mmCIF file of all heavy atoms in Angstrom:
data_model
loop_
_atom_site.group_PDB
_atom_site.id
_atom_site.type_symbol
_atom_site.label_atom_id
_atom_site.label_comp_id
_atom_site.label_asym_id
_atom_site.label_seq_id
_atom_site.Cartn_x
_atom_site.Cartn_y
_atom_site.Cartn_z
ATOM 1 N N ALA D 1 99.061 81.668 32.719
ATOM 2 C CA ALA D 1 99.524 80.592 31.860
ATOM 3 C C ALA D 1 100.811 80.959 31.180
ATOM 4 O O ALA D 1 100.949 82.065 30.597
ATOM 5 C CB ALA D 1 98.460 80.264 30.815
ATOM 6 N N PRO D 2 101.832 80.082 31.216
ATOM 7 C CA PRO D 2 103.171 80.422 30.662
ATOM 8 C C PRO D 2 103.235 80.332 29.153
ATOM 9 O O PRO D 2 104.050 79.557 28.601
ATOM 10 C CB PRO D 2 104.070 79.389 31.346
ATOM 11 C CG PRO D 2 103.192 78.194 31.511
ATOM 12 C CD PRO D 2 101.829 78.725 31.793
ATOM 13 N N VAL D 3 102.417 81.080 28.477
ATOM 14 C CA VAL D 3 102.334 81.025 27.006
ATOM 15 C C VAL D 3 103.705 81.435 26.424
ATOM 16 O O VAL D 3 104.234 82.497 26.731
ATOM 17 C CB VAL D 3 101.243 81.934 26.467
ATOM 18 C CG1 VAL D 3 101.174 81.884 24.964
ATOM 19 C CG2 VAL D 3 99.890 81.532 27.076
ATOM 20 N N ALA D 4 104.263 80.572 25.554
ATOM 21 C CA ALA D 4 105.519 80.855 24.915
ATOM 22 C C ALA D 4 105.321 81.899 23.798
ATOM 23 O O ALA D 4 104.295 81.897 23.104
ATOM 24 C CB ALA D 4 106.120 79.593 24.355
ATOM 25 N N ASN D 5 106.267 82.810 23.666
ATOM 26 C CA ASN D 5 106.240 83.839 22.615
ATOM 27 C C ASN D 5 104.910 84.576 22.633
ATOM 28 O O ASN D 5 104.250 84.743 21.604
ATOM 29 C CB ASN D 5 106.465 83.185 21.232
ATOM 30 C CG ASN D 5 106.720 84.220 20.159
ATOM 31 O OD1 ASN D 5 107.209 85.303 20.415
ATOM 32 N ND2 ASN D 5 106.309 83.913 18.933
ATOM 33 N N LEU D 6 104.494 85.034 23.803
ATOM 34 C CA LEU D 6 103.187 85.676 23.963
ATOM 35 C C LEU D 6 103.168 86.974 23.143
ATOM 36 O O LEU D 6 104.000 87.872 23.357
ATOM 37 C CB LEU D 6 102.908 85.991 25.430
ATOM 38 C CG LEU D 6 101.603 86.644 25.769
ATOM 39 C CD1 LEU D 6 100.437 85.750 25.346
ATOM 40 C CD2 LEU D 6 101.513 86.974 27.251
ATOM 41 N N LYS D 7 102.208 87.063 22.245
ATOM 42 C CA LYS D 7 102.096 88.239 21.388
ATOM 43 C C LYS D 7 100.787 88.981 21.591
ATOM 44 O O LYS D 7 100.689 90.177 21.261
ATOM 45 C CB LYS D 7 102.213 87.837 19.897
ATOM 46 C CG LYS D 7 103.605 87.355 19.496
ATOM 47 C CD LYS D 7 104.625 88.453 19.650
ATOM 48 C CE LYS D 7 105.999 88.023 19.218
ATOM 49 N NZ LYS D 7 107.008 89.101 19.346
ATOM 50 N N LEU D 8 99.773 88.308 22.119
ATOM 51 C CA LEU D 8 98.467 88.960 22.334
ATOM 52 C C LEU D 8 97.850 88.474 23.619
ATOM 53 O O LEU D 8 97.666 87.257 23.792
ATOM 54 C CB LEU D 8 97.545 88.701 21.143
ATOM 55 C CG LEU D 8 96.097 89.206 21.295
ATOM 56 C CD1 LEU D 8 96.072 90.732 21.409
ATOM 57 C CD2 LEU D 8 95.223 88.738 20.121
ATOM 58 N N ALA D 9 97.543 89.389 24.526
ATOM 59 C CA ALA D 9 96.817 89.057 25.749
ATOM 60 C C ALA D 9 95.516 89.823 25.740
ATOM 61 O O ALA D 9 95.480 91.005 25.366
ATOM 62 C CB ALA D 9 97.647 89.421 26.971
ATOM 63 N N VAL D 10 94.442 89.201 26.165
ATOM 64 C CA VAL D 10 93.110 89.833 26.148
ATOM 65 C C VAL D 10 92.405 89.493 27.448
ATOM 66 O O VAL D 10 92.441 88.353 27.922
ATOM 67 C CB VAL D 10 92.247 89.294 24.968
ATOM 68 C CG1 VAL D 10 90.893 89.993 24.946
ATOM 69 C CG2 VAL D 10 92.979 89.486 23.647
ATOM 70 N N VAL D 11 91.732 90.484 28.032
ATOM 71 C CA VAL D 11 90.824 90.229 29.133
ATOM 72 C C VAL D 11 89.486 90.882 28.793
ATOM 73 O O VAL D 11 89.424 92.045 28.399
ATOM 74 C CB VAL D 11 91.380 90.772 30.480
ATOM 75 C CG1 VAL D 11 91.692 92.282 30.422
ATOM 76 C CG2 VAL D 11 90.375 90.487 31.617
ATOM 77 N N MET D 12 88.430 90.107 28.844
ATOM 78 C CA MET D 12 87.105 90.573 28.494
ATOM 79 C C MET D 12 86.272 90.793 29.759
ATOM 80 O O MET D 12 86.347 90.057 30.724
ATOM 81 C CB MET D 12 86.382 89.547 27.610
ATOM 82 C CG MET D 12 87.016 89.390 26.238
ATOM 83 S SD MET D 12 87.026 90.911 25.225
ATOM 84 C CE MET D 12 85.271 91.256 25.070
ATOM 85 N N PHE D 13 85.469 91.871 29.711
ATOM 86 C CA PHE D 13 84.502 92.189 30.790
ATOM 87 C C PHE D 13 85.245 92.327 32.135
ATOM 88 O O PHE D 13 84.909 91.650 33.111
ATOM 89 C CB PHE D 13 83.422 91.141 30.849
ATOM 90 C CG PHE D 13 82.849 90.782 29.498
ATOM 91 C CD1 PHE D 13 83.020 89.477 28.981
ATOM 92 C CD2 PHE D 13 82.179 91.707 28.732
ATOM 93 C CE1 PHE D 13 82.513 89.142 27.736
ATOM 94 C CE2 PHE D 13 81.665 91.375 27.491
ATOM 95 C CZ PHE D 13 81.815 90.105 26.989
ATOM 96 N N ASP D 14 86.216 93.235 32.185
ATOM 97 C CA ASP D 14 87.065 93.332 33.354
ATOM 98 C C ASP D 14 86.333 93.903 34.592
ATOM 99 O O ASP D 14 86.908 93.904 35.692
ATOM 100 C CB ASP D 14 88.284 94.211 33.084
ATOM 101 C CG ASP D 14 87.918 95.660 32.728
ATOM 102 O OD1 ASP D 14 87.083 95.852 31.804
ATOM 103 O OD2 ASP D 14 88.485 96.564 33.329
ATOM 104 N N GLY D 15 85.097 94.334 34.390
ATOM 105 C CA GLY D 15 84.296 94.754 35.594
ATOM 106 C C GLY D 15 83.646 93.609 36.302
ATOM 107 O O GLY D 15 83.085 93.798 37.387
ATOM 108 N N ASP D 16 83.740 92.388 35.771
ATOM 109 C CA ASP D 16 83.137 91.223 36.383
ATOM 110 C C ASP D 16 83.927 90.769 37.595
ATOM 111 O O ASP D 16 85.158 90.602 37.541
ATOM 112 C CB ASP D 16 83.074 90.081 35.365
ATOM 113 C CG ASP D 16 82.112 88.973 35.805
ATOM 114 O OD1 ASP D 16 82.357 88.383 36.863
ATOM 115 O OD2 ASP D 16 81.170 88.690 35.075
ATOM 116 N N GLU D 17 83.256 90.559 38.723
ATOM 117 C CA GLU D 17 83.942 90.192 39.940
ATOM 118 C C GLU D 17 84.538 88.808 39.931
ATOM 119 O O GLU D 17 85.404 88.465 40.738
ATOM 120 C CB GLU D 17 82.951 90.298 41.150
ATOM 121 C CG GLU D 17 82.529 91.708 41.468
ATOM 122 C CD GLU D 17 81.677 91.793 42.706
ATOM 123 O OE1 GLU D 17 81.655 90.807 43.486
ATOM 124 O OE2 GLU D 17 81.039 92.840 42.935
ATOM 125 N N SER D 18 84.144 87.994 38.942
ATOM 126 C CA SER D 18 84.744 86.672 38.822
ATOM 127 C C SER D 18 86.239 86.741 38.456
ATOM 128 O O SER D 18 86.978 85.759 38.637
ATOM 129 C CB SER D 18 84.000 85.847 37.737
ATOM 130 O OG SER D 18 82.652 85.687 38.069
ATOM 131 N N LEU D 19 86.671 87.882 37.962
ATOM 132 C CA LEU D 19 88.064 88.055 37.565
ATOM 133 C C LEU D 19 88.962 88.439 38.761
ATOM 134 O O LEU D 19 90.148 88.633 38.581
ATOM 135 C CB LEU D 19 88.191 89.086 36.458
ATOM 136 C CG LEU D 19 87.518 88.680 35.153
ATOM 137 C CD1 LEU D 19 87.553 89.851 34.164
ATOM 138 C CD2 LEU D 19 88.188 87.471 34.546
ATOM 139 N N VAL D 20 88.358 88.579 39.950
ATOM 140 C CA VAL D 20 89.132 88.937 41.150
ATOM 141 C C VAL D 20 89.364 87.702 41.984
ATOM 142 O O VAL D 20 88.396 86.977 42.328
ATOM 143 C CB VAL D 20 88.364 90.023 41.957
ATOM 144 C CG1 VAL D 20 89.198 90.423 43.178
ATOM 145 C CG2 VAL D 20 88.070 91.236 41.103
ATOM 146 N N ASN D 21 90.573 87.445 42.335
ATOM 147 C CA ASN D 21 90.926 86.308 43.212
ATOM 148 C C ASN D 21 90.374 86.562 44.591
ATOM 149 O O ASN D 21 90.622 87.619 45.181
ATOM 150 C CB ASN D 21 92.439 86.135 43.245
ATOM 151 C CG ASN D 21 92.846 84.786 43.834
ATOM 152 O OD1 ASN D 21 92.050 84.078 44.452
ATOM 153 N ND2 ASN D 21 94.118 84.468 43.721
ATOM 154 N N GLN D 22 89.636 85.608 45.153
ATOM 155 C CA GLN D 22 89.046 85.786 46.493
ATOM 156 C C GLN D 22 89.996 85.324 47.601
ATOM 157 O O GLN D 22 89.636 85.353 48.793
ATOM 158 C CB GLN D 22 87.747 85.010 46.595
ATOM 159 C CG GLN D 22 86.690 85.464 45.591
ATOM 160 C CD GLN D 22 86.395 86.963 45.697
ATOM 161 O OE1 GLN D 22 86.137 87.464 46.770
ATOM 162 N NE2 GLN D 22 86.421 87.630 44.573
ATOM 163 N N MET D 23 91.193 84.923 47.253
ATOM 164 C CA MET D 23 92.213 84.541 48.222
ATOM 165 C C MET D 23 93.461 85.391 47.981
ATOM 166 O O MET D 23 93.610 85.994 46.927
ATOM 167 C CB MET D 23 92.546 83.036 48.072
ATOM 168 C CG MET D 23 91.367 82.131 48.300
ATOM 169 S SD MET D 23 91.776 80.402 48.014
ATOM 170 C CE MET D 23 92.989 80.144 49.318
ATOM 171 N N ALA D 24 94.350 85.425 48.990
ATOM 172 C CA ALA D 24 95.570 86.207 48.878
ATOM 173 C C ALA D 24 96.323 85.744 47.622
ATOM 174 O O ALA D 24 96.408 84.555 47.353
ATOM 175 C CB ALA D 24 96.458 86.018 50.124
ATOM 176 N N PRO D 25 96.782 86.709 46.824
ATOM 177 C CA PRO D 25 96.959 88.155 47.081
ATOM 178 C C PRO D 25 95.815 89.019 46.576
ATOM 179 O O PRO D 25 95.988 90.219 46.411
ATOM 180 C CB PRO D 25 98.216 88.473 46.312
ATOM 181 C CG PRO D 25 98.150 87.602 45.108
ATOM 182 C CD PRO D 25 97.538 86.331 45.574
ATOM 183 N N TYR D 26 94.618 88.449 46.316
ATOM 184 C CA TYR D 26 93.429 89.190 45.901
ATOM 185 C C TYR D 26 93.691 89.955 44.587
ATOM 186 O O TYR D 26 93.268 91.121 44.423
ATOM 187 C CB TYR D 26 92.977 90.131 47.011
ATOM 188 C CG TYR D 26 92.821 89.452 48.326
ATOM 189 C CD1 TYR D 26 93.792 89.585 49.338
ATOM 190 C CD2 TYR D 26 91.720 88.646 48.582
ATOM 191 C CE1 TYR D 26 93.682 88.907 50.548
ATOM 192 C CE2 TYR D 26 91.582 87.979 49.815
ATOM 193 C CZ TYR D 26 92.569 88.139 50.768
ATOM 194 O OH TYR D 26 92.454 87.474 51.953
ATOM 195 N N ASP D 27 94.389 89.335 43.669
ATOM 196 C CA ASP D 27 94.772 89.983 42.417
ATOM 197 C C ASP D 27 93.615 89.967 41.425
ATOM 198 O O ASP D 27 92.717 89.138 41.505
ATOM 199 C CB ASP D 27 95.981 89.259 41.811
ATOM 200 C CG ASP D 27 95.768 87.756 41.749
ATOM 201 O OD1 ASP D 27 95.458 87.158 42.796
ATOM 202 O OD2 ASP D 27 95.906 87.186 40.652
ATOM 203 N N HIS D 28 93.688 90.903 40.480
ATOM 204 C CA HIS D 28 92.699 91.005 39.444
ATOM 205 C C HIS D 28 93.330 90.577 38.118
ATOM 206 O O HIS D 28 94.478 90.971 37.820
ATOM 207 C CB HIS D 28 92.202 92.452 39.319
ATOM 208 C CG HIS D 28 90.955 92.648 38.521
ATOM 209 N ND1 HIS D 28 90.911 92.351 37.158
ATOM 210 C CD2 HIS D 28 89.737 93.100 38.828
ATOM 211 C CE1 HIS D 28 89.683 92.617 36.710
ATOM 212 N NE2 HIS D 28 88.952 93.079 37.699
ATOM 213 N N ALA D 29 92.633 89.779 37.315
ATOM 214 C CA ALA D 29 93.175 89.284 36.069
ATOM 215 C C ALA D 29 93.595 90.449 35.157
ATOM 216 O O ALA D 29 94.605 90.316 34.383
ATOM 217 C CB ALA D 29 92.160 88.394 35.336
ATOM 218 N N ARG D 30 92.878 91.554 35.220
ATOM 219 C CA ARG D 30 93.286 92.726 34.391
ATOM 220 C C ARG D 30 94.659 93.225 34.788
ATOM 221 O O ARG D 30 95.512 93.529 33.937
ATOM 222 C CB ARG D 30 92.271 93.855 34.586
ATOM 223 C CG ARG D 30 92.643 95.162 33.852
ATOM 224 C CD ARG D 30 91.735 96.298 34.211
ATOM 225 N NE ARG D 30 91.785 96.566 35.660
ATOM 226 C CZ ARG D 30 90.742 96.502 36.480
ATOM 227 N NH1 ARG D 30 89.566 96.143 36.017
ATOM 228 N NH2 ARG D 30 90.871 96.746 37.760
ATOM 229 N N GLU D 31 94.939 93.279 36.101
ATOM 230 C CA GLU D 31 96.240 93.764 36.543
ATOM 231 C C GLU D 31 97.357 92.769 36.202
ATOM 232 O O GLU D 31 98.482 93.150 35.932
ATOM 233 C CB GLU D 31 96.202 94.034 38.071
ATOM 234 C CG GLU D 31 95.117 94.996 38.480
ATOM 235 C CD GLU D 31 95.235 96.333 37.725
ATOM 236 O OE1 GLU D 31 96.354 96.872 37.624
ATOM 237 O OE2 GLU D 31 94.210 96.843 37.244
ATOM 238 N N VAL D 32 97.006 91.512 36.230
ATOM 239 C CA VAL D 32 98.023 90.483 35.874
ATOM 240 C C VAL D 32 98.426 90.679 34.421
ATOM 241 O O VAL D 32 99.610 90.648 34.064
ATOM 242 C CB VAL D 32 97.479 89.056 36.125
ATOM 243 C CG1 VAL D 32 98.481 88.008 35.645
ATOM 244 C CG2 VAL D 32 97.161 88.860 37.596
ATOM 245 N N LEU D 33 97.413 90.867 33.535
ATOM 246 C CA LEU D 33 97.712 90.946 32.116
ATOM 247 C C LEU D 33 98.349 92.295 31.738
ATOM 248 O O LEU D 33 99.167 92.351 30.812
ATOM 249 C CB LEU D 33 96.474 90.690 31.295
ATOM 250 C CG LEU D 33 95.947 89.251 31.354
ATOM 251 C CD1 LEU D 33 94.771 89.076 30.388
ATOM 252 C CD2 LEU D 33 97.009 88.249 31.036
ATOM 253 N N THR D 34 97.984 93.395 32.414
ATOM 254 C CA THR D 34 98.662 94.658 32.129
ATOM 255 C C THR D 34 100.135 94.570 32.527
ATOM 256 O O THR D 34 101.010 95.098 31.859
ATOM 257 C CB THR D 34 97.988 95.836 32.868
ATOM 258 O OG1 THR D 34 97.908 95.543 34.261
ATOM 259 C CG2 THR D 34 96.606 96.107 32.306
ATOM 260 N N THR D 35 100.373 93.844 33.641
ATOM 261 C CA THR D 35 101.774 93.673 34.073
ATOM 262 C C THR D 35 102.533 92.797 33.067
ATOM 263 O O THR D 35 103.701 93.066 32.735
ATOM 264 C CB THR D 35 101.822 93.032 35.478
ATOM 265 O OG1 THR D 35 101.074 93.835 36.394
ATOM 266 C CG2 THR D 35 103.247 92.911 35.973
#
């Protein structure tokens, strides 16, 4: 989400498989937010 003036990003329960994209590029929400 293109949040303007992003100051805080949070991902909860990063071991949950629902946070992994099942289609290319198979990204993980945790890796998106750390980036």
Side-chain angles (χ1 to χ4, degrees):
V3 179
N5 191 29
L6 182 61
K7 292 297 183 180
L8 174 63
V10 182
V11 57
M12 294 298 299
F13 314 114
D14 63 307
D16 195 301
E17 292 186 14
S18 299
L19 296 173
V20 182
N21 193 349
Q22 300 304 310
M23 300 177 63
Y26 308 102
D27 50 305
H28 194 298
R30 176 189 59 241
E31 303 305 315
V32 177
L33 291 186
T34 54
T35 305

